[in-house]
Amino acid sequence: MNKPFNRNYHTHCYLCKHAKGTIEDYIVEAINKEFKAIGISDHAPLDFLEDRSLRMASEDYPLYLKQMKQALVKYYEYILIYKSLEIEYFDFLHKHYENLLNELDYLILGQHYIKDNNQLKSVFKIKTYAELKIYKETIINAMRTNYFKIIAHPDIFLINQPEISEEVLSLCKEIILVAKEENVLLEINANGFRKKKHDRNGKTLYQYPRKEFWKLVKDMNAPAIISADAHHPKHLSDYAISEAQKMIRDLSLEVEEELVLD
Ligand SMILES: [Zn+2]
Ligand SMILES: [Zn+2]
């Protein structure tokens, strides 16, 4: 039997424009489900990215902080509440991460873009070995900064690889090794189980998580955690969480239940 999933550190809200519910809705749901901790981590505003319909607007960030503060005052006796953001890594934003960490408890790295020849490319379009390698380097550089506690869906870059070659597995190993060295949690993202499966060269696969990646995490004994990546309050305890738990059971992969903050 699995241990109960009763701490979730990856939670969105309506401010990113593709999640449902207010911060309070998620916290109340977590309390009703007897959760011990919830971390609110909506998609961070980054104005230079042209996907403003998929992330919080920078104008809304003060409101986000205000709503989290109000929720903390109202619910701190019932559940541990953490303030966070899910954000991409870019090397020119170090000061920005430091500023964010002055008011937040932790940051989640959710790398949705790579920079290829000075062009931004969506991770959903990553296909070639050169692109996979840029993703790997970006993630490693991000982990080396120590700004991030959790790497959201680290295996997202495998989305267009129906078969994972030995050389691509080596890239995965490099990521996993650095996560272990830096003690950054690799996230088994349950939201992948809620997404439509992909057809790739006749193979029907989840976009993520990818078992091949998590088998390496198990073999290399690197730190991992399951996240709901909740975009609806009911995602805190739905079938996708059970799928994630089933996957780790199948792989005998031990995961952290609690995020330790220093
Ligand atoms: Zn999202
Ligand atoms: Zn997310």
Side-chain angles (χ1 to χ4, degrees):
M1 258 313 274
N2 287 304
K3 293 174 190 149
F5 180 78
N6 57 14
R7 292 179 182 85
N8 181 52
Y9 299 97
H10 187 166
T11 315
H12 294 278
C13 74
Y14 76 98
L15 287 171
C16 68
K17 303 178 252 342
H18 65 274
K20 295 265 183 288
T22 62
I23 291 170
E24 188 168 1
D25 293 336
Y26 287 88
I27 293 172
V28 168
E29 176 75 9
I31 293 168
N32 287 338
K33 292 280 174 344
E34 296 180 3
F35 273 46
K36 294 187 187 329
I38 184 158
I40 306 297
S41 59
D42 206 8
H43 296 280
L46 284 177
D47 288 338
F48 60 93
L49 295 175
E50 286 160 3
D51 59 354
R52 282 172 57 98
S53 62
L54 293 172
R55 61 182 62 241
M56 198 188 304
S58 45
E59 311 85 271
D60 286 337
Y61 184 59
L63 178 65
Y64 180 65
L65 290 177
K66 189 177 157 202
Q67 290 180 357
M68 285 197 291
K69 203 172 160 192
Q70 287 169 339
L72 263 160
V73 170
K74 200 163 166 187
Y75 297 108
Y76 77 95
E77 290 174 277
Y78 308 101
I79 188 168
L80 270 169
I81 300 169
Y82 294 104
K83 299 182 288 181
S84 177
L85 281 172
E86 176 179 8
I87 191 166
E88 286 77 1
Y89 176 69
F90 293 102
D91 57 8
F92 56 91
L93 287 179
H94 282 218
K95 189 79 206 138
H96 185 54
Y97 303 124
E98 279 164 27
N99 291 337
L100 291 174
L101 285 168
N102 283 331
E103 56 206 5
L104 301 173
D105 298 305
Y106 62 92
L107 292 174
I108 297 180
L109 179 76
Q111 195 68 34
H112 299 101
Y113 295 91
I114 56 165
K115 219 167 156 189
D116 189 6
N117 283 325
N118 261 329
Q119 296 270 347
L120 289 174
K121 178 167 221 147
S122 160
V123 292
F124 295 102
K125 293 185 179 149
I126 290 179
K127 201 163 186 176
T128 67
Y129 180 71
E131 291 163 349
L132 291 158
K133 204 163 155 231
I134 295 171
Y135 175 89
K136 181 266 300 181
E137 276 157 15
T138 310
I139 297 293
I140 286 180
N141 290 341
M143 288 192 284
R144 293 292 191 205
T145 66
N146 285 152
Y147 293 136
F148 310 97
K149 290 280 179 217
I150 299 173
I151 309 300
H153 42 61
D155 46 345
I156 199 169
F157 75 135
L158 304 171
I159 199 160
N160 296 310
Q161 311 293 316
E163 311 291 342
I164 304 179
S165 66
E166 280 303 318
E167 59 178 0
V168 175
L169 279 177
S170 294
L171 299 179
C172 297
K173 281 183 201 162
E174 284 186 66
I175 292 173
I176 296 164
L177 184 65
V178 176
K180 192 172 169 172
E181 284 173 3
E182 301 292 346
N183 198 25
V184 179
L185 295 173
L186 296 167
E187 178 206 69
I188 299 151
N189 186 293
N191 205 36
F193 293 115
R194 297 186 197 105
K195 294 188 176 192
K196 248 182 93 176
K197 286 187 186 177
H198 262 179
D199 274 319
R200 289 284 180 271
N201 294 358
K203 246 186 148 172
T204 308
L205 292 166
Y206 283 114
Q207 302 176 37
Y208 54 89
R210 287 292 292 271
K211 260 195 172 170
E212 301 94 320
F213 183 92
W214 296 101
K215 167 138 193 350
L216 291 176
V217 174
K218 153 81 185 161
D219 293 346
M220 294 170 72
N221 196 23
I225 193 164
I226 293 174
S227 287
D229 192 1
H231 286 73
H232 189 291
K234 70 172 197 272
H235 290 168
L236 290 172
S237 52
D238 66 353
Y239 72 96
I241 303 290
S242 309
E243 282 294 319
Q245 289 177 316
K246 182 178 177 300
M247 192 186 82
I248 63 164
R249 212 164 48 227
D250 291 348
L251 293 170
S252 307
L253 171 64
E254 295 268 353
V255 299
E256 304 293 327
E257 289 175 75
E258 206 170 335
L259 175 64
V260 180
L261 297 170
D262 31 48

